[in-house]
Amino acid sequence: MGVPLKEKIKKRKKRLLPEKGFIRRSLESEEWRRIERIYKEATPVVLVTVLMEIIAGLELLRVSDYYVLLPGLLLIIPGLMEARGNVVTSLAQRLGSSAHLGLINWDLGINDEVKVNWTATIILSSLLSFVLSLLAYLTAVILKMPHMSFWGFLSIALLMTLIVGTTLSSLTVLVVLLAHRLGLDPDNVTIPIVATLGDIFAVGSLYFIIRIVLFMDHFIKII
Amino acid sequence: MKARFTIKQIIKQSAPVLIGVTLFSVITGRNLENSAELVTHHVPVLLVALPAFINIAGDLADVFCSRLSSELYRGNLDSNFRPLRLFLADLIGVLLVGITSFIFVAIFANIITDIIFGKIVSYLYLILIMVTAGVTATFVMMLVGAFLSRWAYLKGLDPDSIIAPITTTGGDMVGTTLLLFLASWILI
């Protein structure tokens, strides 16, 4: 006589369904803990940055009224914002790796690893400011658009690097060191925080930068 | 303690990528902005949601690549991303953060739009569009970032200096294009 049907079904069920305690074991696994940690650490940060980004976006619409004060400003602002974001997220990634390798931490303070990365970021920002100013100026000349002088574009770009770039790079160092000290993974939290802070600073500083350039123009012809 | 890289090395590795990606983004971004203006004119909620939406896709791809390069340097992952379970756990973890965030953006932006413009779209459709476009863009850029990280690591370059600009800009572009396409298809 063959195996009873009941037994057959039981065996098949055992094969198809996971063993008893599978869910509990899965939830205790290293992979689940990893997923849980990413979710727990990154989600609150990303949600707060979403709120800040939406508010910054609305503010940017308001600040855009000032764009007309400096002809050609719209040619350089998107590029500057993009470049600043790219430079600072690279810094955050490098410092995140350095923290994991034990090369930087709160107790070591501002050591060579931090100094080298910070300085390289400022140099890269200045280099990009120059390239973007040249591109904006040439675009305006070729397309015969109303524009300020090359020095006007360069002043705005360098002022943004000076004000936003240096503050943001320093804040990136602080966020990485602080996250590491608080037991958080810098890789999970630093990038969303600094990318959003960058947008907020950039939007907030635009008004002042426009004012500074207009003020400077009284003494040296740059517009 | 001596730094991992010198200033010259960082600049030499980062500058070509940064300049190339930024110029590419400025040139192609202009076309995208024109399309965005057309769509946001009909669907103002996208005007409110777009800055947060595009940032999330790029940021999350960066978070994933940042974790990846840290694990490569620490030796927890090899250059083929083995053990694969750790790689997949990171991928799933970051995508879950993405799904939650895109749902949140859709709801919050719709509320703000209601307050400012008095014009909202269906929550269900908006969530569907944002999650589909956002998660697809994030996933694509995570894979691109992983592939480039592996390439950079094997070439002896620092993935941290090279990948972030590409994933941030790529996430912005793929996400915005998908969002505008889905929005003009479903909401207009």
Side-chain angles (χ1 to χ4, degrees):
Chain A
M1 223 173 119
V3 187
L5 187 66
K6 252 189 178 176
E7 282 291 312
K8 271 187 180 174
I9 294 173
K10 211 176 168 184
K11 266 189 180 174
R12 187 158 293 176
K13 257 189 178 173
K14 206 176 174 186
R15 235 187 12 241
L16 290 174
L17 293 174
E19 296 162 46
K20 209 176 170 186
F22 169 78
I23 296 176
R24 188 179 49 79
R25 273 204 307 281
S26 298
L27 292 177
E28 283 169 2
S29 68
E30 191 194 344
E31 294 81 33
W32 180 256
R33 279 203 304 273
R34 218 174 154 88
I35 294 173
E36 202 182 6
R37 187 173 181 197
I38 296 173
Y39 193 80
K40 273 187 178 166
E41 289 184 4
T43 309
V45 175
V46 176
L47 294 187
V48 172
T49 62
V50 164
L51 294 178
M52 291 158 88
E53 278 291 339
I54 289 179
I55 293 161
L58 293 172
E59 187 61 15
L60 190 62
L61 292 175
R62 203 176 64 81
V63 175
S64 60
D65 293 344
Y66 290 101
Y67 284 0
V68 287
L69 293 173
L70 294 175
L73 192 65
L74 262 179
L75 287 171
I76 197 167
I77 294 299
L80 281 178
M81 304 264 274
E82 185 78 31
R84 177 205 37 71
N86 287 341
V87 172
V88 90
T89 43
S90 280
L91 173 69
Q93 279 201 7
R94 282 198 302 271
L95 290 179
S97 294
S98 303
H100 282 302
L101 292 171
L103 297 172
I104 61 167
N105 63 45
W106 190 268
D107 298 325
L108 289 174
I110 310 297
N111 60 4
D112 278 353
E113 181 75 10
V114 174
K115 281 181 200 160
V116 162
N117 278 291
W118 191 90
T119 314
T121 304
I122 300 301
I123 295 174
L124 281 168
S125 298
S126 310
L127 185 70
L128 273 168
S129 298
F130 181 79
V131 173
L132 285 167
S133 307
L134 194 64
L135 182 81
Y137 177 71
L138 290 177
T139 309
V141 170
I142 293 166
L143 298 178
K144 294 190 173 112
M145 293 164 81
H147 62 88
M148 55 192 136
S149 69
F150 170 71
W151 303 111
F153 282 115
L154 191 62
S155 312
I156 289 167
L158 287 179
L159 276 170
M160 205 168 216
T161 300
L162 191 74
I163 298 171
V164 183
T166 49
T167 315
L168 205 58
S169 305
S170 310
L171 269 174
T172 307
V173 174
L174 186 71
V175 172
V176 171
L177 294 180
L178 207 59
H180 194 248
R181 186 183 164 90
L182 293 173
L184 300 168
D185 186 339
D187 288 337
N188 291 345
V189 294
T190 314
I191 290 172
I193 291 176
V194 296
T196 305
L197 283 179
D199 284 346
I200 291 169
F201 284 164
V203 172
S205 65
L206 250 182
Y207 174 79
F208 293 104
I209 291 171
I210 293 170
R211 290 279 156 201
I212 292 171
V213 172
L214 286 170
F215 178 73
M216 279 162 61
D217 191 53
H218 289 304
F219 305 100
I220 323 157
K221 190 77 191 144
I222 49 173
I223 302 176
Chain B
M1 197 185 286
K2 215 175 153 225
R4 268 192 307 154
F5 297 100
T6 61
I7 295 175
K8 202 176 161 187
Q9 277 173 322
I10 295 173
I11 292 171
K12 211 173 155 186
Q13 290 186 24
S14 297
V17 181
L18 275 170
I19 293 172
V21 165
T22 307
L23 294 187
F24 174 77
S25 126
V26 170
I27 294 162
T28 52
R30 211 167 294 282
N31 294 327
L32 216 55
E33 269 170 33
N34 293 338
S35 319
E37 265 174 37
L38 276 175
V39 180
T40 51
H41 180 71
H42 293 285
V43 194
V45 66
L46 293 183
L47 190 71
V48 178
L50 210 55
F53 173 86
I54 55 177
N55 262 29
I56 297 173
D59 286 356
L60 290 181
D62 280 345
V63 167
F64 175 72
C65 293
S66 188
R67 293 185 58 86
L68 215 57
S69 59
S70 292
E71 296 299 13
L72 284 170
Y73 281 128
R74 287 156 89 189
N76 291 343
L77 284 177
D78 70 8
S79 59
N80 288 320
F81 304 128
R82 298 234 159 82
L84 211 58
R85 56 192 173 79
L86 294 187
F87 176 84
L88 289 175
D90 280 8
L91 194 107
I92 293 167
V94 174
L95 282 179
L96 285 176
V97 178
I99 292 169
T100 314
S101 313
F102 291 119
I103 293 174
F104 184 75
V105 175
I107 296 172
F108 189 69
N110 225 7
I111 292 170
I112 293 277
T113 313
D114 192 17
I115 296 167
I116 297 175
F117 299 98
K119 195 179 169 187
I120 57 167
V121 294
S122 151
Y123 276 93
L124 186 68
Y125 281 146
L126 193 62
I127 289 173
L128 196 72
I129 289 170
M130 292 243 165
V131 172
T132 311
V135 169
T136 311
T138 310
F139 183 67
V140 168
M141 290 328 294
M142 280 157 88
L143 293 186
V144 170
F147 175 76
L148 290 173
S149 296
R150 182 179 184 273
W151 172 81
Y153 187 73
L154 290 176
K155 285 256 170 200
L157 302 168
D158 180 18
D160 291 332
S161 294
I162 296 168
I163 311 303
I166 299 171
T167 46
T168 308
T169 309
D172 289 2
M173 291 198 168
V174 178
T176 312
T177 311
L178 275 173
L179 184 72
L180 295 179
F181 170 71
L182 288 174
S184 55
W185 184 39
I186 296 173
L187 296 177
I188 298 177

